[in-house]
């Protein structure tokens, strides 16, 4: 039986006052009851709320079990792992509530036709709700969250959906990931990571995010975006010819995801995961159609499908990139001049067509939620905003946890060249993004083990 | 597998060996396999009769001469290194590829070699330790019981959920510096992580072969390790288990037929 995962906008009461006093749509009522029932179970029970959340990540200091802390972030398996995880979670809610037709709703915060989409759904913002005429605590509520609005730039889906490849290399990542672990795919960077840090509270860290009921709706939307991407003409799946190496394809096709008890886990093969109509998935989305404005923007930004083929094979596409400069041990708010390593191509002779900065081995005890990357063609030149990244994955995790962030600085290349930049050196600085609650907090910082500049010449 | 899938896979495989580093590593591994497969004068394959020494036990009356492994002999070290190149180097291809792609042009080959050298040296150290341990226990070369014990250990390890989790984590490489002293340091770190993954994949079976081995065990162990490396997220995949179990069964049956069980 294919169940429908509804858009939260179509099942929400919309207004906070109504959510506090009126009966909820059955989809949200079942969800709230399911969360309550799961929370009533002890953490050692594989059907408990804590077990489900810990399967994603565990707070620092919690003794680890093999089934816990599995979240596949910054990995090629980010999307399929979370799809299987959601299906397993959905099954638990259905079993505990007895509502066999229930499907997890999704939160489409990027819907340009719905001005309220950027706010947390009303049912998640009220501390109490009415059940059988009585006000009872609302299990979907968490006072630590930001309620919105989420800034438009953070939930812009154009760049992710405009990427034709599911998997890319370093530094040119694909929609779903890269051929090396520890790099975010486009959809994982934006909107996924940004929504996590924007909502904050439990959502701020992968170690606790699964404890927040809004987490599951956020990931349902990310999962839906995968379906949207697949529906776009010219999207190149990993398993399509030219989509990835034999090694990656074999890894992908043989993956099995497992959840629950270590002795008798629920398992999901990649065939199960890739087919929404399979017995183990059995759902469809209310809509995978893009609003007209988004569809047009994505079509305009998408690289055209090459005549007679799918484009460069992955390894050839990567060969066009080259590391040209590197520096080490950079702290946030510290300016660093990177000297370019001479390359046979000579950037002064042929300016790069694209420029990407990688911040690798980033660590933090308490990071700012987001950083802006500033570059200058010379130490005394004007700074240019090359890009930004959200630090999801660094907060609430052990200090030795590392993340890598890629920032595409191609947009500022014309400005740099106009200033007479010849590629000999580049000044780089990471500054906390302004306008956020933690922007001026002097106790927050990140440490970057390695900054690498990648250039692509035609 | 359909004809279409097979054609696609063949195309991807041929595409995968396009890079120079992959070709070099696979070429070295192939040469090592050939060297190990060439029969030696006096019988047996090159790897089967690793550095054997005759040791006299002075406290045994009457004195007897027993054959034990001599890990410090050139024969043992040479055979062991050939085995590492043949079996383990193919497992390093993703790491070496990542290093060369992350390096400045002038450093690509050098940093790839650093990674390979790190893996090889660590395996040499482990092999020496295993052979020294066997020598301390006076385990005779080619001991069936020694080999079966480590094959059983490998089979038990396959059931471990933790092993699966660690294997997934081992796919991650540290930040790779593109050249210079830091490049050497990070390539060494990458080599250490790659070695850890190789050790998890087939450490027990490699130790089983520290006292000499049959080519059959080597082939089955290699196939199991390579298969698992190519299917890192295949939860409780039966293929490598069956390969290792098959190798164990082969050793046991061959020993029974030779009448070696009970004497080894």
């Amino acid at each position: 039986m294919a169940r429908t995962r509804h858009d939260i906008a179509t099942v929400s009461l919309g207004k906070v006052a109504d959510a506090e006093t009126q009966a909820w749509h059955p989809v949200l009522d079942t969800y709230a009851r399911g969360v309550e029932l799961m929370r009533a179970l002890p953490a050692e029970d594989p059907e408990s709320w804590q077990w489900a959340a810990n399967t994603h990540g565990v707070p620092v200091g919690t003794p680890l079990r093999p089934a816990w802390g599995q979240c596949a972030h910054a990995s090629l398996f980010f999307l399929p792992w979370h799809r299987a995880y959601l299906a397993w979670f959905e099954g638990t809610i259905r079993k505990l509530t007895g509502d066999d037709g229930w499907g997890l709703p999704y939160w489409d915060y990027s819907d340009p036709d719905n001005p309220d989409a950027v706010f947390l759904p009303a049912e998640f913002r009220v501390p109490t709700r009415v059940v059988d005429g009585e006000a009872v605590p609302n299990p979907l509520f968490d006072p630590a969250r930001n309620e919105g609005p989420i800034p438009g730039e953070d939930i812009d889906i154009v760049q992710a959906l405009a990427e034709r490849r599911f998997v890319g290399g370093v530094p040119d990542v694909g929609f779903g990931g890269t051929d090396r672990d520890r790099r975010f795919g486009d959809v994982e960077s934006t909107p996924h990571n940004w929504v996590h840090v924007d909502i904050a509270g439990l959502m701020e860290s992968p170690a606790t995010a699964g404890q927040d009921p809004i987490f599951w709706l956020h990931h349902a939307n990310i999962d839906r975006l995968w379906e949207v991407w697949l529906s776009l003409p010219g999207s190149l799946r990993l398993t399509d010819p030219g989509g990835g190496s034999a090694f990656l394809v074999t890894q992908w096709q043989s993956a099995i995801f497992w959840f629950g008890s270590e002795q008798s886990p629920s398992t999901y093969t990649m065939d199960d995961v890739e087919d929404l109509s399979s017995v183990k998935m059995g759902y469809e989305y209310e809509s995978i159609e893009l609003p007209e404005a988004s569809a047009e923007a994505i079509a305009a930004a998408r690289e055209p499908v090459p005549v007679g083929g799918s484009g460069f094979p992955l390894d050839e596409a990567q060969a066009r990139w080259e590391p040209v400069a590197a520096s080490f041990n950079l702290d946030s708010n510290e300016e660093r001049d990177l000297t370019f390593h001479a390359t046979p191509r000579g950037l002064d002779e042929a300016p790069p067509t694209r420029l990407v900065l990688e911040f690798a081995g980033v660590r933090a005890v308490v990071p700012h939620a987001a950083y802006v990357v500033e570059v200058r063609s010379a130490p005394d030149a004007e700074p240019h905003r090359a890009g930004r990244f959200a630090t999801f994955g660094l907060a609430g995790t052990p200090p030795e946890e590392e993340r890598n962030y890629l920032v595409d600085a191609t947009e500022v290349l014309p400005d740099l060249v106009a200033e007479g930049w010849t590629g000999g050196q580049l000044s780089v600085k990471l500054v906390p993004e302004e306008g956020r609650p933690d922007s001026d907090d002097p106790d927050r910082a990140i440490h970057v083990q390695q900054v690498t500049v990648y250039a692509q010449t035609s | 597998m359909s004809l279409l899938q097979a054609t696609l896979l063949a195309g991807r495989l041929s595409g995968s060996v396009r890079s120079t580093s992959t070709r070099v590593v696979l070429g070295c591994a192939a040469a090592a396999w050939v060297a190990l497969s060439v029969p030696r004068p006096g019988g047996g394959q090159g790897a089967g009769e690793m550095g054997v020494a005759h040791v006299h036990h002075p406290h045994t009356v009457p004195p007897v001469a027993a054959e034990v492994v001599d890990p410090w002999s050139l024969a043992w070290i040479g055979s062991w290194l050939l085995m590492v190149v043949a079996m383990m180097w193919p497992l390093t291809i993703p790491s070496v590829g990542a290093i060369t792609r992350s390096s400045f042009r002038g450093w690509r080959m050098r940093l790839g070699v650093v990674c390979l050298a790190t893996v090889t040296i660590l395996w040499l150290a482990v092999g020496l330790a295993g052979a020294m341990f066997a020598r301390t226990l006076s385990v005779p070369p080619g001991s069936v019981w020694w080999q079966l014990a480590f094959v059983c250990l490998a089979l038990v390890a396959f059931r471990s959920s933790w092993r699966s989790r660690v294997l997934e984590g081992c796919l991650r490489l540290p930040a790779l510096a593109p050249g210079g002293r830091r490049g050497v340091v990070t390539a060494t770190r990458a080599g250490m992580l790659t070695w850890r993954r190789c050790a998890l994949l087939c450490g027990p079976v490699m130790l089983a072969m520290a006292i000499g081995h049959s080519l059959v065990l080597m082939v089955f162990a290699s196939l199991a390790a390579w298969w698992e490396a190519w299917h890192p997220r295949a939860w409780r995949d039966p293929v490598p288990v069956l390969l290792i179990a098959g190798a164990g069964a082969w050793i046991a049956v061959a020993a029974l037929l030779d009448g070696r069980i009970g004497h080894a």
Side-chain angles (χ1 to χ4, degrees):
Chain A
M1 180 176 74
R3 304 161 183 96
T4 301
R5 287 188 177 175
H6 293 279
D7 184 347
I8 187 76
T10 64
V11 296
S12 171
L13 289 164
K15 292 183 177 152
V16 170
D18 293 344
E20 206 156 22
T21 55
Q22 294 183 21
W24 290 4
H25 189 282
V27 167
L28 288 168
D29 181 62
T30 296
Y31 185 39
R33 285 191 296 115
V35 172
E36 265 179 339
L37 291 166
M38 288 178 78
R39 281 187 177 150
L41 297 171
E44 302 76 40
D45 188 329
E47 290 182 346
S48 71
W49 183 254
Q50 199 62 50
W51 187 292
N54 285 356
T55 297
H56 189 265
V58 291
V60 177
T62 307
L64 198 60
R65 299 182 63 119
W68 291 359
Q70 290 194 49
C71 67
H73 286 291
S75 155
L76 177 63
F77 295 97
F78 167 70
L79 287 167
W81 184 86
H82 281 89
R83 175 171 286 181
Y85 181 44
L86 261 59
W88 169 71
F89 172 78
E90 211 173 27
T92 305
I93 295 272
R94 278 201 289 267
K95 184 181 169 194
L96 293 178
T97 59
D99 185 348
D100 196 45
W102 185 75
L104 181 66
Y106 63 89
W107 176 22
D108 182 8
Y109 27 71
S110 308
D111 183 357
D113 299 334
N114 175 12
D116 292 333
V118 293
F119 292 94
L120 269 178
E123 284 78 359
F124 291 77
R125 295 160 65 184
V126 291
T128 59
R129 69 177 188 132
V130 173
V131 177
D132 298 331
E134 276 186 41
V136 296
N138 174 14
L140 307 185
F141 176 70
D142 176 7
R145 299 184 193 119
N146 294 328
E147 295 184 347
I150 300 176
E153 195 178 4
D154 298 1
I155 44 177
D156 184 356
I157 55 175
V158 172
Q159 189 193 339
L161 291 174
E163 175 57 52
R164 281 210 318 112
R165 284 184 176 281
F166 183 83
V167 62
V170 176
D172 197 6
V173 303
F175 171 80
T178 73
D179 62 349
R180 275 162 63 188
D181 259 10
R182 289 191 171 182
R183 268 81 182 177
F184 297 109
D186 281 319
V187 78
E188 192 177 357
S189 291
T190 310
H192 169 265
N193 287 357
W194 287 103
V195 171
H196 270 282
V197 299
D198 287 338
I199 297 299
L202 293 166
M203 282 280 277
E204 198 173 23
S205 167
T208 53
Q211 294 178 40
D212 189 333
I214 198 65
F215 164 88
W216 305 89
L217 278 72
H218 169 39
H219 269 279
N221 189 50
I222 296 296
D223 184 60
R224 187 186 68 92
L225 288 175
W226 186 11
E227 285 302 297
V228 173
W229 179 85
L230 282 168
S231 72
L232 296 175
S235 292
L236 188 66
R237 294 178 303 173
L238 171 61
T239 48
D240 290 336
S245 66
F247 179 53
L248 289 185
V249 172
T250 310
Q251 274 194 63
W252 177 269
Q253 290 177 328
S254 63
I256 296 175
F257 308 106
W258 62 279
F259 307 99
S261 148
E262 289 96 352
Q263 284 70 42
S264 52
S266 302
T267 57
Y268 300 82
T269 66
M270 193 58 89
D271 283 344
D272 295 330
V273 168
E274 287 196 293
D275 179 7
L276 291 194
S277 64
S278 67
V279 174
K280 292 196 175 178
M281 296 294 114
Y283 66 86
E284 59 189 12
Y285 284 104
E286 185 178 316
S287 172
I288 58 166
E289 268 183 44
L290 286 165
E292 203 176 319
S294 305
E296 283 173 6
I298 290 161
R302 235 179 198 223
E303 185 187 321
V305 180
V307 178
S310 53
F312 287 108
L314 185 56
D315 53 349
E316 283 183 28
Q318 279 180 257
R320 297 157 69 208
W321 285 95
E322 227 174 308
V324 292
S327 188
F328 306 91
N329 298 319
L330 175 75
D331 290 316
S332 44
N333 276 322
E334 175 193 352
E335 180 130 21
R336 179 71 57 83
D337 296 338
L338 277 75
T339 305
F340 280 34
H341 190 269
T343 68
R345 292 177 189 181
L347 293 183
D348 48 343
E349 293 167 19
T353 49
R354 288 186 66 190
L355 197 69
V356 172
L357 283 80
E358 183 180 44
F359 300 89
V362 181
R363 291 183 178 192
V365 178
V366 188
H368 290 91
Y371 287 89
V372 168
V373 181
E374 290 181 355
V375 296
R376 299 169 199 255
S377 57
D380 54 349
E382 282 295 303
H384 301 280
R385 187 179 188 268
R388 60 203 280 268
F389 60 84
T391 58
F392 178 63
L394 291 179
T397 48
E400 62 272 17
E401 186 79 15
E402 290 180 7
R403 288 286 187 273
N404 301 322
Y405 301 100
L406 287 156
V407 171
D408 193 336
T410 305
E411 276 190 15
V412 300
L413 259 177
D415 299 329
L416 296 175
V417 172
E419 290 169 2
W421 184 69
T422 57
Q425 67 93 47
L426 194 68
S427 298
V428 177
K429 186 178 180 183
L430 284 173
V431 292
E433 187 169 63
E434 287 178 7
R436 292 186 168 270
D438 63 5
S439 297
D440 300 322
D441 187 341
D443 296 328
R444 293 173 183 256
I446 56 172
H447 177 77
V448 182
Q449 292 183 46
Q450 182 176 325
V451 186
T452 311
V453 180
Y454 287 89
Q456 189 188 60
T457 48
S458 49
Chain B
M1 183 184 281
S2 70
L3 187 62
L4 178 65
Q5 283 175 315
T7 310
L8 283 173
L9 182 63
R12 289 191 185 108
L13 280 170
S14 64
S16 297
V17 296
R18 212 175 285 158
S19 80
T20 308
S21 62
T22 304
R23 283 181 185 166
V24 169
V25 171
L26 285 180
C28 291
W33 275 103
V34 171
L36 288 164
S37 309
V38 173
R40 282 177 152 193
Q45 264 81 37
E49 303 291 330
M50 295 163 89
V52 173
H54 297 273
V55 173
H56 294 275
H57 294 271
H59 305 299
T60 311
V61 179
V64 292
E67 286 186 332
V68 292
V69 172
D70 179 9
W72 300 108
S73 68
L74 274 180
W76 187 92
I77 291 174
S79 296
W80 180 261
L81 286 177
L82 278 176
M83 226 171 72
V84 169
V85 174
M87 297 174 70
M88 297 294 106
W89 276 26
L91 295 172
T92 67
I93 286 173
S95 301
V96 173
I99 288 168
T100 53
R101 285 199 301 274
S102 306
S103 306
F104 294 137
R105 287 195 174 193
W107 283 89
R108 285 179 186 168
M109 184 65 82
R110 280 181 274 180
L111 295 185
V113 168
V114 168
C115 176
L116 273 177
T118 305
V119 171
T120 309
I121 289 167
L122 286 170
W123 269 123
L124 180 62
V126 168
L128 283 169
M132 290 292 287
F133 181 57
R135 186 185 170 93
T136 307
L137 297 179
S138 298
V139 175
S143 163
V144 175
W145 294 115
W146 172 275
Q147 291 184 62
L148 286 178
F150 280 102
V151 164
C152 288
L153 180 64
L155 290 172
V156 170
F158 277 121
R159 295 294 299 172
S160 165
S161 306
W162 283 116
R163 179 176 174 275
S164 308
R165 292 297 308 280
V166 176
L167 270 177
E168 285 170 21
C170 285
L171 285 169
R172 297 170 182 163
L173 290 177
L176 298 165
R181 186 179 57 82
R182 283 182 189 276
V184 173
V185 170
T186 55
T188 306
R189 271 187 71 200
M192 290 165 76
L193 289 173
T194 307
W195 172 81
R196 185 177 69 165
R197 180 169 170 72
C198 297
L200 277 165
L201 284 168
C202 64
V205 184
M206 286 295 278
L207 283 172
M209 293 185 282
I211 45 95
H213 52 273
S214 72
L215 203 59
V216 172
L217 178 56
M218 214 179 126
V219 169
F220 276 62
S222 300
L223 290 175
W226 297 343
W227 179 276
E228 212 181 356
W230 272 59
H231 304 78
R233 281 186 168 266
W235 169 253
R236 299 210 165 143
D237 189 351
V239 175
V241 181
L242 289 172
L243 283 166
I244 296 295
W250 175 277
I251 292 167
V253 169
L256 272 174
L257 292 177
D258 289 353
R260 281 188 290 138
I261 283 189
H263 302 289

